[in-house]
Amino acid sequence: MSKTTGIARRRLGAGLVLAAGLLLMAAPGRAAAPDAADTVIWGGPVYTADPAHPRVEAVAVRGGRIAFAGDRVAALAWVGPATRVIDLKGAALFPGFTDSHVHLDGVGARELTLNLEGAASAAEVAARVKAYAVNVRPGEVIYGRGWIETGWPEKRFLQASDIDAAAPDNPVLLQRSDGHAIVANTAALRLAGVTEATPAPFGGAILKDRDGHLTGMLVDNAMSLLRGVRPAETAERRIRALKVGMAVENRYGWTGVHFMSAPWDDVLALETLAARGEAPLRVYAAVDRQDADKLFASGRRSAGDGRIVTRAIKLYADGALGSRGAALFEPYSDEPSTTGLLRLTPEDTRPVLAEAAARGIQVCTHAIGDLANARVLDLYAEALPKAGPDPRWRIEHAQNIRAGDILRFARLGVIASMQPSHAIGDLHFAGARLGQDRLAGAYPWKSLRDAGVLVAGGSDAPVERGDPLIEFYAAVARKDLKGLSGPGWHPEQVLSREEALALFTTAAAHARFADAELGSITVGKRADLTAFSVDLMTAPEAAIPKGRAVLTLVDGQVVWQAP
Ligand SMILES: [Zn+2]
C-alpha cells in the first residue's frame, strides 16, 4: 500500500472502515489473538534505518522483538484486546539510540557528586565548592567534576589557589570535564604526598607555575598520584551510581551504551542487576585495561538474555587536546615545548593486543592526537592478521588524523568511534592548540565515512552532557549550541541526516557485533526504540537540540516515557 493512499484515507476519516475490511481479508478463519502484538506504536513518523523500507507509519512489538513495521492500516491487524497502543502524538520514532562511548559509572557519579558543569569562571567553581562544603564533614574528601576553562575570564586552567579558601578543612579533587586532569587543593596534595620534587609518572604531567610551584593540576597518568585520596568505592555506592546512570541514559533516550573503561566490578554488578531485571539499559562493556586479564580468563560474557555483553578491552594511547595531553607529531602551536603525552609503549601493548586477537576480544583504544592515532594503527596492523575474520577493532575519538592515516583506517577495517559534541566544544580552542593547517584533519567524520570507514557515534558522557540530540545536531550542523562556527571548523565535514542517524543506530550496532539483532526497525530484531519530540530528519537544525526524548523502549519494555 502506498503512503499516498494511507494519508488520503486518514484525511477522509475512512481508515477504520477500510482497515477492518483488511483485517478480515488478512486473517480468514484465523483467530486474531495469536497474532496480537504486545505493543503497537503509531501516530508520528517512524524512521527505521533499514534501507528496505526507510520510513513507515507503525511498529508492532511481540515478545520483545519487532513483529511488524509498515503502514498504519495493516498495523491494525496486530491490535488485540491486550495490546498496548502507544500514540506518538507527532513525536518521531527511531531505532533505539545507542551511545557508542560512555562512562556509565561517571554518568551516575555525576549525579551523586559535586557537579561543576557550566561554571563560568574559576571564581564560580570556588563558590560552588564553598556551598557544597557546608554539608560535608571536616576531613571528608570533596570530589567534583565537569569544570572546563573555555571562555573563563581567568583565561587559564583552574588551580589550587582558586579553591584553597573555599574548603580549607577538606581535601578537594576537581576533575576537568574531559576526565584527563584533576586539580587538587593544597590539603589534597599534602595528603597525597605530592610535592614540587615529585617526579611525574610516564604519560603524566604535574603542572607548575613559572616559579616552579605546584599549580595543583595533575594530568593523565599523574592523576594516579591522588589514588589514595579519592573517596573509597563501596559496593553499595557503585551499584547506586550504575542504577542512577542507567536511569539518566533512558531519560535521554538511549536504549543502549558502549561502556568504556568499565571496571570489572561494575561488569559483575551490572550482570547481577540484569539477572534481577534491574538493568533497563543495554550495556556493551569494554573493560578497563587493568582488568583485561580477567576478561581474557573468562572469555566473552553475556548476561540477562544479552542485556549485558562484555567482549572488549579499552586502552589509552594518549590524553586530551584541551589539557595538551593529546600526542602530536609536531609541537602544540600554543605551547611549542610539548608534543603531548603518549600513554602506551609498543612493548607493553603488543602482548595485550596479541592476547585479545587470539581470544576474539575486541580492542578499543583512545587516540586523540595525530601521532597517537598513527601509533595505534601501527600496532593494530601488526596484531590484526592474527585476529579472527571479523575483529572490528576500534579507535576511540579519532580526533586528529593525518590524511594518509584515514586511508589506513579503511584498509585495516578499523572502526572510528567519534563524539560529535567534542568537535563543537573543542573547535573553539583546537585552532590555538593545533594551528589552522592541522584543523584540516580534525574531527574528520565525513572524510572517514567517505573513505569507507565505519563511524560509530557517541557522547563520551560525563565528559559531555550525553544528550543524543546534542550529538545528532553536532554531526549535522558542526556549529556550537549557539549556532556559531569559526574559521577552520571545516563545514564540509557535516553529515547528512541519514548518515547521522546511522552513527547511533546501525553503526553503533555493528561496532558491538550486534548488527543482526539491533540498529534498525526490522522484523525479527530486538525492539529497542527511541522517540524524540523533534523529527530529526526534517526539523530545522537549530530545533534539534531543543527537543527531548519522549519514549524509550528496551526489548519492547517501556523504560522511559515523558510525563
Ligand atoms: Zn571516554
Side-chain angles (χ1 to χ4, degrees):
M1 190 170 306
S2 83
K3 220 171 280 164
T4 334
T5 56
I7 290 162
R9 278 203 189 111
R10 271 212 305 282
R11 283 211 187 108
L12 290 168
L16 273 177
V17 178
L18 286 166
L22 187 102
L23 184 67
L24 289 175
M25 282 187 298
R30 210 154 47 116
D35 274 336
D38 302 324
T39 307
V40 167
I41 309 173
W42 57 33
V46 179
Y47 297 96
T48 65
D50 183 337
H53 51 93
R55 197 172 159 184
V56 298
E57 295 176 339
V59 177
V61 175
R62 219 163 95 105
R65 292 187 180 260
I66 306 289
F68 166 85
D71 61 54
R72 184 166 171 156
V73 173
L76 270 173
W78 291 89
V79 178
T83 301
R84 176 179 187 181
V85 176
I86 299 178
D87 184 351
L88 291 166
K89 298 198 176 95
L93 187 70
F94 298 92
F97 264 53
T98 292
D99 188 333
S100 305
H101 185 119
V102 71
H103 302 277
L104 186 59
D105 49 347
V107 171
R110 176 168 65 184
E111 304 294 311
L112 304 174
T113 54
L114 170 59
N115 188 350
L116 299 170
E117 252 187 304
S121 62
E124 189 181 337
V125 170
R128 290 200 198 177
V129 171
K130 190 170 180 181
Y132 189 85
V134 172
N135 297 314
V136 178
R137 288 187 303 276
E140 201 179 313
V141 180
I142 294 176
Y143 189 81
R145 76 167 290 162
W147 64 269
I148 181 157
E149 74 289 347
T150 313
W152 282 6
E154 291 90 354
K155 298 206 184 309
R156 56 163 173 77
F157 294 132
L158 186 69
Q159 54 194 38
S161 58
D162 294 322
I163 51 172
D164 273 340
D169 303 323
N170 301 88
V172 180
L173 302 176
L174 304 181
Q175 194 157 26
R176 193 171 182 275
S177 72
D178 66 8
H180 286 271
I182 290 177
V183 168
N185 70 349
T186 300
L189 291 168
R190 203 170 291 142
L191 196 61
V194 177
T195 69
E196 282 152 17
T198 305
F202 171 76
I206 300 172
L207 300 196
K208 292 175 183 163
D209 63 19
R210 254 183 225 129
D211 305 322
H213 301 308
L214 298 174
T215 72
M217 179 148 144
L218 308 184
V219 184
D220 285 320
N221 291 358
M223 293 190 289
S224 65
L225 298 170
L226 300 167
R227 203 173 280 144
V229 183
R230 294 177 79 145
E233 196 59 79
T234 63
E236 191 195 344
R237 202 182 149 80
R238 178 184 299 281
I239 287 168
R240 214 170 120 221
L242 290 171
K243 282 180 144 180
V244 170
M246 287 191 282
V248 168
E249 299 293 347
N250 288 158
R251 228 164 35 230
Y252 274 125
W254 300 112
T255 57
V257 297
H258 302 180
F259 181 1
M260 289 292 134
S261 312
W264 188 252
D265 288 344
D266 279 10
V267 169
L268 301 182
L270 285 166
E271 289 176 351
T272 305
L273 288 171
R276 295 206 301 245
E278 293 175 31
L281 184 72
R282 191 177 302 291
V283 178
Y284 177 77
V287 302
D288 194 67
R289 177 176 185 159
Q290 57 196 20
D291 292 327
D293 285 339
K294 292 181 181 136
L295 183 60
F296 292 153
S298 95
R300 302 173 190 173
R301 303 165 68 90
S302 175
D305 181 32
R307 188 63 64 91
I308 312 295
V309 170
T310 308
R311 69 170 288 184
I313 57 169
K314 167 82 184 302
L315 312 180
Y316 280 92
D318 65 346
L321 190 67
S323 42
R324 296 195 189 87
L328 307 175
F329 279 104
E330 305 293 335
Y332 277 81
S333 298
D334 58 357
E335 188 61 73
S337 66
T338 181
T339 54
L341 301 167
L342 261 187
R343 296 172 73 187
L344 49 74
T345 65
E347 297 71 36
D348 291 344
T349 309
R350 277 187 192 113
V352 180
L353 298 187
E355 183 104 29
R359 294 178 184 276
I361 298 294
Q362 184 187 44
V363 180
C364 310
T365 307
H366 164 120
I368 288 188
D370 52 8
L371 176 65
N373 275 280
R375 289 289 173 271
V376 175
L377 290 168
D378 292 344
L379 288 162
Y380 280 10
E382 280 177 38
L384 279 170
K386 296 198 188 81
D390 193 13
R392 305 191 194 187
W393 285 11
R394 311 168 28 156
I395 290 186
E396 302 301 315
H397 311 307
Q399 283 181 7
N400 303 278
I401 311 170
R402 288 187 157 186
D405 282 337
I406 287 183
L407 301 177
R408 279 214 290 164
F409 266 86
R411 267 206 309 279
L412 293 168
V414 172
I415 294 168
S417 164
M418 306 179 79
Q419 300 75 37
S421 60
H422 281 341
I424 64 169
D426 290 11
L427 278 164
H428 283 288
F429 60 76
R433 298 278 191 278
L434 299 170
Q436 289 299 311
D437 288 353
R438 281 188 285 190
L439 288 184
Y443 317 93
W445 49 66
K446 179 74 171 165
S447 302
L448 283 159
R449 256 198 80 106
D450 290 350
V453 178
L454 188 107
V455 181
S459 76
D460 203 9
V463 173
E464 302 284 351
R465 181 91 48 82
D467 180 345
L469 296 177
I470 292 178
E471 299 303 330
F472 192 96
Y473 164 79
V476 300
R478 211 170 164 98
K479 295 172 188 154
D480 72 11
L481 290 173
K482 294 183 186 121
L484 304 174
S485 73
W489 282 48
H490 290 272
E492 75 279 6
Q493 292 289 342
V494 296
L495 296 183
S496 72
R497 305 288 173 110
E498 287 75 17
E499 289 168 339
L501 181 61
L503 295 186
F504 308 101
T505 57
T506 48
H510 181 93
R512 56 153 296 180
F513 304 92
D515 23 340
E517 285 275 277
L518 303 171
S520 64
I521 300 179
T522 302
V523 170
K525 285 194 179 184
R526 289 178 181 265
D528 289 6
L529 301 163
T530 306
F532 294 110
S533 61
V534 55
D535 183 340
L536 302 180
M537 310 312 272
T538 60
E541 235 168 60
I544 293 171
K546 298 194 179 91
R548 64 197 181 106
V550 295
L551 180 69
T552 312
L553 284 90
V554 176
D555 280 328
Q557 301 293 312
V558 175
V559 293
W560 162 251
Q561 191 159 18

